[in-house]
Amino acid sequence: MFLRFFEALRAAKIPVSLREYLSFLEAMKSGLVLYDVEGFYFLARATMVKDERNLDKFDLVFADVFKGMENLSVGDILNAVDVPDDWLTKLAEKHLTPEEMKEIQSLGGFDKLMETLKERLAEQEKRHQGGNKWIGTAGTSPFGAYGYNPEGVRIGQNESRHKKAAKVWDKRDFKNLDDSVELGTRNIKVALKRLRKWARAGADDELDLNGTIRATAEHGYLDVITRPERRNAVKVLLFLDVGGSMDSYIKLIEELFSAAKTEFKHMEYFYFHNCLYEGVWKDNKRRWTEQTSTHEVLRTYGSDYKCIFVGDAAMSPYEIVYKGGANEHWNEEPGQVWLERAQEQWPGSVWINPVKEQYWQYTHSTVLMQEIFKNRMYPMTLKGIEAAMKELGR
C-alpha cells in the first residue's frame, strides 16, 4: 500500500533504496507506530531520508501522497468518518488520562462529539469569536481555535495549545530547500564535512576491536588493544573579507566562520579588505596597529594547508591589478601578485563568494578574480560549498 509513496520519493530525486523501503515496511509491520499520523511521518522520514538536504523535499512528497484531508471541507470529512471502536479505545488509552476519559462522556462520547460538530456547521453561517457554542476562536466551545475545551475539535489553529483536541484540521505548509539556496547554520557544517582527511594521533584511548580480536586469537588470552582516536587532520587557512560591501553578509559569514571553527580542529584565520595585500589582521578593531605581514603568513603555514578566501570580490579592478590601487592605503605591489603567491604556497586554494552566481559576470573585478583563481570560485550555497570542499580534497 506504500508503493506509491516509495515511487514518489524516487521521482522527487530523493535517494531512497529498496533496502530502506523494506526497513520502513518492517517497522510498520512490527507496529512501531499505530494510529498516529505524526509518528508515522517521523518513522517514514527516519527510515527513508539519509541526507538532511532532502528533508523538505520529503515533506512535500509526504504532503502530496497523503493529501486529502486538507482539500476537504470539515463537513465532508466528518461525513466520511468511520473509525473502529477499538481504534478509539487505543487512542484514548494512549493520549488521555483516566480523568479525561471520564470527561469525554460529557457530550456523549466521540460519536456525539462528531454529530454535534456537523449540526453546528450546518447552523452556523459566519465566523464566531468567543462564546461556548459556535465554531470560532477564543471561546470554550468544543469546536474552533485558540480557546479551551478538554474534548474539542481544533479548526484553523496552527499548533496545539492545551494538547486536548480530539481532531486536528490543520494545513501544513512547506518551503523548498535544495542545493542552490543560501546556507543556514544547519547546513554549513554538512557542507564542510565533505573536506576530511582522517588520521590517528594522540593517546591510545580508543578500543581497537579488530586488533583486540586478532591479538587475542594469536596469543590465546584476552589481549586488549587500544589506539588513538580518529580525527579530521585537514589543516585550513581562512581569509575573510570584511567591511564595505561585505557588511551585507555579516550574519552569513559569521555562521560559516563558526561552523568552520567547529568542524576543523586545525584552522587559522585572518581578515583582509577587498583584496589580499602585504598585511592581514586578526582583530578588526586594531587592523591598522596589529597587522601580520602576509610574507610571515606565507612562511609560517606550509603547503599542506587548504586555503579558503571568502569575499564578494566586488571592488575597483585597479585594486587587483595596479600598484597603489588599494582604496585605503598605498600598496607597493598589486593585489594580484599577493594572490598568486598565496596560490603558489597553498595549491589547494578556492574563493567562496556570497553573491549569487548569476550576478558575477556584471562585476569586472569578480571576473578578474575568477581568472586569477582559475575558475575555482564557488557560490556560498550548499552545492557551492560542497564543490569547493571537493576541489580542496583532491
Side-chain angles (χ1 to χ4, degrees), residues 34-35 85-95:
L34 294 174
Y35 322 123
D85 291 341
D86 61 325
W87 282 32
L88 295 178
T89 301
K90 289 182 180 294
L91 281 172
E93 292 174 351
K94 180 177 180 181
H95 296 290

Side-chain angles (χ1 to χ4, degrees), residues 58-116:
F58 173 86
D59 284 350
L60 288 170
V61 172
F62 187 91
D64 180 64
V65 172
F66 299 103
K67 68 183 178 181
M69 298 297 283
E70 72 278 11
N71 296 325
L72 297 174
S73 68
V74 177
D76 290 336
I77 294 173
L78 294 177
N79 288 329
V81 169
D82 183 15
V83 184
D85 291 341
D86 61 325
W87 282 32
L88 295 178
T89 301
K90 289 182 180 294
L91 281 172
E93 292 174 351
K94 180 177 180 181
H95 296 290
L96 301 178
T97 65
E99 292 76 15
E100 288 173 328
M101 292 179 67
K102 291 180 181 178
E103 238 174 49
I104 199 70
Q105 302 303 320
S106 61
L107 277 180
F110 186 86
D111 291 338
K112 182 62 177 178
L113 186 66
M114 296 293 105
E115 181 183 344
T116 305

Side-chain angles (χ1 to χ4, degrees), residues 237 239 294-307 338-349:
L237 198 56
F239 289 94
T294 306
H295 271 305
E296 181 180 339
V297 176
L298 290 167
R299 291 192 299 266
T300 301
Y301 301 99
S303 59
D304 56 335
Y305 272 79
K306 306 297 183 180
C307 185
W338 289 104
L339 290 171
E340 290 173 348
R341 287 171 179 162
Q343 291 182 73
E344 183 179 354
Q345 172 64 11
W346 306 297
S349 298

